[in-house]
Amino acid sequence: MHKKTKFLAYAVILLLAIATVSFQSAPRQHPNIVYILADDLGYGDVSANNPEGKIITPNLDKLASEGMRFTDAHSPSSVCTPTRYALMTGRYPWRSRLPVGVLRGYSRTLIENDRATVASMLRKNGYQTGVVGKWHLGLDWALKKEHEAMASTENYGIKTEMNPEHIDFTREAAQGPNTVGFDYSYILPASLDMPPYCYLENQKLAELPSAYTDGNKLTSGYTGPFWREGKMAPSFDFHGVLPNFIQKAKEFITRQSKTKPFFLYLPLPAPHTPWLPTNNYKGKSKAGEYGDFVQQVDASIGEVLKTLKESGFADNTIVIFASDNGPYWRQNFIEQFNHKAAGPFRGMKGDAFEGGHRIPFIVRWPGKVKAGSVSNATTTLANLMATCADIVSNKDAAFVTEDSYSILPVLLGKTRQVAQQPAVIHSSSVGYYAIRKGDWKLILGLGSGGFTEPRQIKPTVGKPEGQLYNLSVDVAETSDVYAQHPEKVKELTALLEQIKQSKVKILSK
């Protein structure tokens, strides 16, 4: 072989060897993360959790068969806004400016200025971030000039709504999803039964809310196709909201690059009221219009999963599915349809009882999370921040929050419980605290603390002031053993107070 030819051959071999080593040593791209949050979906509405139920959810069942299904996952609160605050910030909702209750459509942003969020952390780690769906964490709507001074009032627009007549809808909202870490946002301000009924894209109204609705089914008891009266965009279609969000989510996925990871937060507006199944889903379940709407939600999630697969993202995408709290499913519905939306648990949305905050929770991560696995680990949605930081190896102290603990070791099958998590805490719609440690659950208050009657019971002098349940033998919370275990009441009360007062993460001993 000619010397020059031989030299070129050796050079090519050397370059190939260097390229191979470089490729092998290059870090694998972080996984994409798609977080789907249903609204008011019960643990027992997912047929994988409740095979005897009257609702069929084939897409969620398939997701569970391909990933890990949790049996003891909880929302930090039993109602919408507080849970979303905890999910985004890794802090329990009672640490916010709105310790009890929910925001409305004209409320200002609840997430504090410069507060770290899951979105801002992932963006710092190179993620393209997007949110499509029901926001319900407030917007700093622009005020008309004559009302601008009100913006400096403490908690203005938090404890009570802003007056819509003071808002200049022609101007972009000053704060919202794009100021807390999202590169792209397409949202409904609050729940689909709360005005204003309109969409905002990147904090700008897609259409001014210049029309008005008188509301619908106002005497239905917050069920069925119920929505409140108020401002709306002229072309707003209540039936089209869920399909619209699914289409926008699919568009977000398909325009992503294969070289940069993405985080899509998809907070669905359903099956929260108004229950509005489209014609092709009416009568498909055996649980009335609510059940039909749930089955439409399931099919919608299937569309998103199909788009991930067709776009070539499925194999390197973590899909997380959860609900923001328990279902609004009253006892008369249980009896009418023989369907337990909360599964075997007592109560419903709003309650301190398990039915208010024990939720469906599924995680799929091909090649990492064992397909068809079931975890009994006790976890809350506040754990997203620490889990995502663990996944991307972010050690920045700015993203270490008071109440978030990584569930990554559980997902990878390395542990059975969430390491170092001292307890989990729930708050009800009226502000009852509940603390769970191991098998024991303490509720500070009598009654449901939410929507189940009796909601609040005044303690009798000399009698128990709260409720204590051993969930290992009484998952339905039918036997209150508060009086029989004063030492456990004292222990859990002290731990709850320690966590409430702490400004740093408390680690279990």
Side-chain angles (χ1 to χ4, degrees), residues 435 442 444 482 486-500:
I435 180 169
L442 173 69
L444 297 188
Y482 187 101
E487 76 293 339
K488 186 58 67 175
V489 170
K490 183 178 179 181
E491 174 196 341
L492 293 178
T493 301
L495 180 56
L496 173 60
E497 193 59 29
Q498 181 188 10
I499 294 172
K500 284 173 59 180

Side-chain angles (χ1 to χ4, degrees), residues 304-320:
V304 175
L305 299 177
K306 182 180 178 183
T307 300
L308 284 172
K309 184 176 181 179
E310 291 177 345
S311 301
F313 290 120
D315 288 343
N316 192 36
T317 297
I318 303 171
V319 176
I320 304 171

Side-chain angles (χ1 to χ4, degrees), residues 387-456:
T387 303
C388 287
D390 204 1
I391 289 168
V392 301
S393 301
N394 186 309
K395 306 296 183 183
D396 190 336
F399 302 108
V400 177
T401 59
E402 298 97 320
D403 308 306
S404 193
Y405 299 82
S406 176
I407 68 167
L408 182 59
V410 175
L411 295 174
L412 299 180
K414 296 179 179 179
T415 61
R416 293 188 176 182
Q417 289 296 330
V418 181
Q420 298 187 314
Q421 179 178 260
V424 297
I425 298 175
H426 324 290
S427 53
S428 76
S429 63
V430 302
Y432 277 14
Y433 286 100
I435 180 169
R436 167 79 180 283
K437 182 181 179 183
D439 296 330
W440 293 94
K441 176 182 174 181
L442 173 69
I443 301 175
L444 297 188
L446 300 175
S448 73
F451 298 144
T452 300
E453 296 292 348
R455 298 183 178 190
Q456 293 176 282

Side-chain angles (χ1 to χ4, degrees), residues 6 63 90 120 152 178 187 214 236 239 241 299 302 332 348-349 360 398 461:
K6 187 181 291 186
L63 188 69
S120 64
S152 61
N178 292 83
I187 63 164
D214 293 328
F236 192 85
H239 287 86
V241 173
N332 61 302
M348 63 177 179
K349 174 182 177 177
V461 177

Side-chain angles (χ1 to χ4, degrees), residues 104-214:
R104 298 284 180 159
Y106 300 114
S107 296
R108 299 188 80 196
T109 184
L110 184 61
I111 298 177
E112 302 86 352
N113 289 338
D114 302 320
R115 173 71 60 194
T117 68
V118 174
S120 64
M121 184 270 291
L122 290 174
R123 184 161 69 177
K124 191 171 183 180
N125 279 267
Y127 278 71
Q128 183 75 16
T129 58
V131 54
V132 174
K134 167 185 166 177
W135 182 235
H136 213 173
L137 281 168
L139 293 159
D140 277 14
W141 296 98
L143 291 168
K144 295 175 181 176
K145 278 197 171 184
E146 61 268 31
H147 301 292
E148 284 180 346
M150 299 183 69
S152 61
T153 306
E154 186 179 4
N155 284 331
Y156 172 65
I158 297 294
K159 299 296 177 68
T160 57
E161 278 190 288
M162 301 171 69
N163 184 336
E165 300 308 317
H166 296 172
I167 296 172
D168 182 354
F169 291 105
T170 66
R171 292 162 56 197
E172 180 180 341
Q175 293 192 61
N178 292 83
T179 56
V180 297
F182 288 102
D183 298 305
Y184 174 78
S185 66
Y186 185 89
I187 63 164
L188 184 72
S191 294
L192 189 50
D193 57 10
M194 296 177 178
Y197 303 110
C198 54
Y199 300 109
L200 292 95
E201 188 167 27
N202 294 325
Q203 295 178 198
K204 298 176 183 177
L205 279 162
E207 185 180 18
L208 294 178
S210 56
Y212 197 87
T213 173
D214 293 328

Side-chain angles (χ1 to χ4, degrees), residues 276-356:
L276 295 172
T278 51
N279 288 332
N280 48 332
Y281 290 97
K282 288 181 179 178
K284 295 297 184 181
S285 77
K286 296 180 181 179
E289 57 195 348
Y290 172 78
D292 298 344
F293 204 24
V294 171
Q295 294 198 183
Q296 182 177 343
V297 169
D298 177 77
S300 300
I301 292 168
E303 288 187 50
V304 175
L305 299 177
K306 182 180 178 183
T307 300
L308 284 172
K309 184 176 181 179
E310 291 177 345
S311 301
F313 290 120
D315 288 343
N316 192 36
T317 297
I318 303 171
V319 176
I320 304 171
F321 170 78
S323 179
D324 65 343
N325 45 248
Y328 190 78
W329 193 246
R330 302 193 301 249
Q331 184 62 35
N332 61 302
F333 292 138
I334 296 176
E335 295 168 0
Q336 179 181 354
F337 297 107
N338 191 28
H339 174 72
K340 295 182 177 180
F345 308 113
R346 182 181 182 182
M348 63 177 179
K349 174 182 177 177
D351 294 355
F353 297 132
E354 292 291 287

